[in-house]
């Protein structure tokens, strides 16, 4: 997939107002948590989440479920970019997740997923074969000092939808 084919989605989702409207309509918990897309290219996505009242846990750090949401969004926005306007259309679904936490998550955490190429290949393979294809995407969360706080392996399944009769 080329820059030209992914540009409309990137322009849409990186617009702060349009992103908020998208989240409010489709992912209201991500909206309430204040998730933001910091950067989106064909290869990589960066998503941030901050420590605040709605994301905190009793240990004065970001609740693990909120971290999971941001980690999923980092790989999910790459998936959505390659599925936007795809013909035949392709469905996406999380079928697995594994997480490791290495440091207390306070402040703003940035999750980076650099698996855009593998995601694009799986989408193309699903379109070509009609079979489901899985990708395990790695999202690494770092604090403002650049220290790794969490590592998520999210397994996505992609399958081309059958044409409607």
């Amino acid at each position: 997939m080329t820059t030209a084919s992914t540009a409309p989605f990137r322009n849409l989702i990186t617009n702060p107002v349009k992103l908020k409207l998208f989240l409010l309509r489709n992912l209201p918990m991500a909206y309430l948590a204040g998730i933001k897309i910091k950067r989106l290219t064909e290869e990589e996505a960066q998503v941030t989440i901050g420590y605040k009242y709605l994301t905190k846990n009793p240990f004065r750090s970001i609740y693990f479920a909120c971290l999971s949401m941001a980690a999923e969004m980092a790989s999910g926005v790459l998936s959505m970019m390659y599925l936007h306007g795809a013909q035949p259309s392709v469905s996406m679904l999380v079928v697995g997740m594994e997480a490791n936490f290495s440091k207390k998550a306070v402040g703003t955490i940035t999750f980076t997923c650099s698996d855009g190429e593998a995601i694009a290949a799986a989408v193309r393979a699903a379109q070509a074969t009609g079979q489901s294809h899985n990708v395990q995407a790695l999202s690494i969360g770092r604090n403002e000092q650049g220290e790794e706080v969490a590592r998520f392996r999210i397994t996505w399944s992609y399958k081309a939808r059958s044409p409607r009769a």
Side-chain angles (χ1 to χ4, degrees), residues 120-139:
V123 169
R124 285 192 303 268
Q127 288 175 308
T129 66
Q131 302 296 313
S132 71
H133 286 269
N134 291 356
V135 169
Q136 188 178 72
L138 176 65
S139 291

mmCIF file of all heavy atoms in Angstrom, residues 120-139:
data_model
loop_
_atom_site.group_PDB
_atom_site.id
_atom_site.type_symbol
_atom_site.label_atom_id
_atom_site.label_comp_id
_atom_site.label_asym_id
_atom_site.label_seq_id
_atom_site.Cartn_x
_atom_site.Cartn_y
_atom_site.Cartn_z
ATOM 1 N N ALA A 120 0.165 -4.469 7.014
ATOM 2 C CA ALA A 120 -0.229 -4.273 5.614
ATOM 3 C C ALA A 120 -0.143 -5.589 4.843
ATOM 4 O O ALA A 120 -1.033 -5.910 4.041
ATOM 5 C CB ALA A 120 0.650 -3.211 4.959
ATOM 6 N N ALA A 121 0.905 -6.370 5.085
ATOM 7 C CA ALA A 121 1.078 -7.652 4.398
ATOM 8 C C ALA A 121 -0.044 -8.626 4.771
ATOM 9 O O ALA A 121 -0.565 -9.344 3.912
ATOM 10 C CB ALA A 121 2.439 -8.254 4.726
ATOM 11 N N ALA A 122 -0.432 -8.651 6.045
ATOM 12 C CA ALA A 122 -1.506 -9.555 6.477
ATOM 13 C C ALA A 122 -2.844 -9.146 5.862
ATOM 14 O O ALA A 122 -3.633 -10.002 5.462
ATOM 15 C CB ALA A 122 -1.613 -9.559 7.999
ATOM 16 N N VAL A 123 -3.093 -7.844 5.760
ATOM 17 C CA VAL A 123 -4.331 -7.364 5.138
ATOM 18 C C VAL A 123 -4.359 -7.773 3.662
ATOM 19 O O VAL A 123 -5.361 -8.289 3.167
ATOM 20 C CB VAL A 123 -4.487 -5.842 5.300
ATOM 21 C CG1 VAL A 123 -5.612 -5.289 4.437
ATOM 22 C CG2 VAL A 123 -4.713 -5.483 6.770
ATOM 23 N N ARG A 124 -3.238 -7.572 2.962
ATOM 24 C CA ARG A 124 -3.167 -7.962 1.541
ATOM 25 C C ARG A 124 -3.370 -9.464 1.385
ATOM 26 O O ARG A 124 -4.070 -9.917 0.479
ATOM 27 C CB ARG A 124 -1.827 -7.534 0.940
ATOM 28 C CG ARG A 124 -1.716 -6.051 0.666
ATOM 29 C CD ARG A 124 -0.500 -5.714 -0.177
ATOM 30 N NE ARG A 124 0.762 -6.158 0.398
ATOM 31 C CZ ARG A 124 1.539 -5.416 1.189
ATOM 32 N NH1 ARG A 124 1.198 -4.171 1.477
ATOM 33 N NH2 ARG A 124 2.661 -5.888 1.663
ATOM 34 N N ALA A 125 -2.753 -10.252 2.273
ATOM 35 C CA ALA A 125 -2.886 -11.713 2.197
ATOM 36 C C ALA A 125 -4.336 -12.133 2.446
ATOM 37 O O ALA A 125 -4.852 -13.028 1.768
ATOM 38 C CB ALA A 125 -1.954 -12.381 3.202
ATOM 39 N N ALA A 126 -5.003 -11.501 3.401
ATOM 40 C CA ALA A 126 -6.411 -11.824 3.672
ATOM 41 C C ALA A 126 -7.273 -11.494 2.462
ATOM 42 O O ALA A 126 -8.169 -12.269 2.109
ATOM 43 C CB ALA A 126 -6.896 -11.055 4.904
ATOM 44 N N GLN A 127 -6.995 -10.382 1.809
ATOM 45 C CA GLN A 127 -7.753 -10.004 0.615
ATOM 46 C C GLN A 127 -7.505 -10.989 -0.527
ATOM 47 O O GLN A 127 -8.426 -11.366 -1.243
ATOM 48 C CB GLN A 127 -7.367 -8.596 0.158
ATOM 49 C CG GLN A 127 -7.892 -7.511 1.064
ATOM 50 C CD GLN A 127 -7.392 -6.152 0.655
ATOM 51 O OE1 GLN A 127 -6.187 -5.932 0.494
ATOM 52 N NE2 GLN A 127 -8.309 -5.219 0.488
ATOM 53 N N ALA A 128 -6.261 -11.402 -0.689
ATOM 54 C CA ALA A 128 -5.905 -12.270 -1.813
ATOM 55 C C ALA A 128 -6.428 -13.690 -1.645
ATOM 56 O O ALA A 128 -6.820 -14.330 -2.616
ATOM 57 C CB ALA A 128 -4.383 -12.287 -1.990
ATOM 58 N N THR A 129 -6.424 -14.186 -0.407
ATOM 59 C CA THR A 129 -6.772 -15.590 -0.188
ATOM 60 C C THR A 129 -8.182 -15.809 0.342
ATOM 61 O O THR A 129 -8.704 -16.922 0.252
ATOM 62 C CB THR A 129 -5.794 -16.235 0.823
ATOM 63 O OG1 THR A 129 -5.990 -15.616 2.100
ATOM 64 C CG2 THR A 129 -4.346 -16.100 0.374
ATOM 65 N N GLY A 130 -8.771 -14.783 0.939
ATOM 66 C CA GLY A 130 -10.075 -14.952 1.579
ATOM 67 C C GLY A 130 -9.988 -15.659 2.918
ATOM 68 O O GLY A 130 -10.996 -15.864 3.590
ATOM 69 N N GLN A 131 -8.780 -16.058 3.315
ATOM 70 C CA GLN A 131 -8.555 -16.729 4.592
ATOM 71 C C GLN A 131 -8.145 -15.696 5.646
ATOM 72 O O GLN A 131 -7.651 -14.627 5.315
ATOM 73 C CB GLN A 131 -7.420 -17.764 4.454
ATOM 74 C CG GLN A 131 -7.670 -18.824 3.410
ATOM 75 C CD GLN A 131 -8.866 -19.687 3.756
ATOM 76 O OE1 GLN A 131 -8.998 -20.153 4.880
ATOM 77 N NE2 GLN A 131 -9.757 -19.887 2.801
ATOM 78 N N SER A 132 -8.324 -16.059 6.916
ATOM 79 C CA SER A 132 -7.888 -15.138 7.961
ATOM 80 C C SER A 132 -6.365 -15.221 8.108
ATOM 81 O O SER A 132 -5.767 -16.282 7.903
ATOM 82 C CB SER A 132 -8.587 -15.443 9.281
ATOM 83 O OG SER A 132 -8.120 -16.635 9.835
ATOM 84 N N HIS A 133 -5.778 -14.092 8.429
ATOM 85 C CA HIS A 133 -4.334 -14.007 8.662
ATOM 86 C C HIS A 133 -4.116 -13.255 9.966
ATOM 87 O O HIS A 133 -4.765 -12.240 10.209
ATOM 88 C CB HIS A 133 -3.635 -13.286 7.505
ATOM 89 C CG HIS A 133 -3.540 -14.125 6.286
ATOM 90 N ND1 HIS A 133 -2.470 -14.933 6.020
ATOM 91 C CD2 HIS A 133 -4.412 -14.325 5.275
ATOM 92 C CE1 HIS A 133 -2.675 -15.586 4.882
ATOM 93 N NE2 HIS A 133 -3.858 -15.226 4.414
ATOM 94 N N ASN A 134 -3.207 -13.776 10.783
ATOM 95 C CA ASN A 134 -2.919 -13.170 12.076
ATOM 96 C C ASN A 134 -1.576 -12.463 12.072
ATOM 97 O O ASN A 134 -0.648 -12.888 11.377
ATOM 98 C CB ASN A 134 -2.911 -14.226 13.180
ATOM 99 C CG ASN A 134 -4.274 -14.799 13.463
ATOM 100 O OD1 ASN A 134 -5.275 -14.379 12.898
ATOM 101 N ND2 ASN A 134 -4.325 -15.770 14.351
ATOM 102 N N VAL A 135 -1.500 -11.405 12.871
ATOM 103 C CA VAL A 135 -0.248 -10.683 13.097
ATOM 104 C C VAL A 135 -0.144 -10.402 14.581
ATOM 105 O O VAL A 135 -1.114 -9.949 15.200
ATOM 106 C CB VAL A 135 -0.207 -9.331 12.334
ATOM 107 C CG1 VAL A 135 0.955 -8.472 12.786
ATOM 108 C CG2 VAL A 135 -0.149 -9.547 10.850
ATOM 109 N N GLN A 136 1.018 -10.676 15.143
ATOM 110 C CA GLN A 136 1.263 -10.283 16.520
ATOM 111 C C GLN A 136 2.018 -8.960 16.482
ATOM 112 O O GLN A 136 3.164 -8.905 16.047
ATOM 113 C CB GLN A 136 2.069 -11.334 17.276
ATOM 114 C CG GLN A 136 2.153 -11.012 18.761
ATOM 115 C CD GLN A 136 2.893 -12.059 19.548
ATOM 116 O OE1 GLN A 136 4.101 -12.158 19.443
ATOM 117 N NE2 GLN A 136 2.163 -12.834 20.344
ATOM 118 N N ALA A 137 1.346 -7.901 16.912
ATOM 119 C CA ALA A 137 1.931 -6.559 16.890
ATOM 120 C C ALA A 137 2.488 -6.242 18.275
ATOM 121 O O ALA A 137 1.872 -6.555 19.291
ATOM 122 C CB ALA A 137 0.878 -5.537 16.494
ATOM 123 N N LEU A 138 3.640 -5.603 18.286
ATOM 124 C CA LEU A 138 4.294 -5.222 19.536
ATOM 125 C C LEU A 138 4.103 -3.732 19.769
ATOM 126 O O LEU A 138 4.454 -2.912 18.913
ATOM 127 C CB LEU A 138 5.793 -5.555 19.461
ATOM 128 C CG LEU A 138 6.644 -5.144 20.653
ATOM 129 C CD1 LEU A 138 6.216 -5.916 21.910
ATOM 130 C CD2 LEU A 138 8.114 -5.392 20.348
ATOM 131 N N SER A 139 3.537 -3.389 20.933
ATOM 132 C CA SER A 139 3.377 -1.988 21.337
ATOM 133 C C SER A 139 4.180 -1.788 22.612
ATOM 134 O O SER A 139 3.925 -2.452 23.622
ATOM 135 C CB SER A 139 1.917 -1.648 21.607
ATOM 136 O OG SER A 139 1.159 -1.650 20.433
#
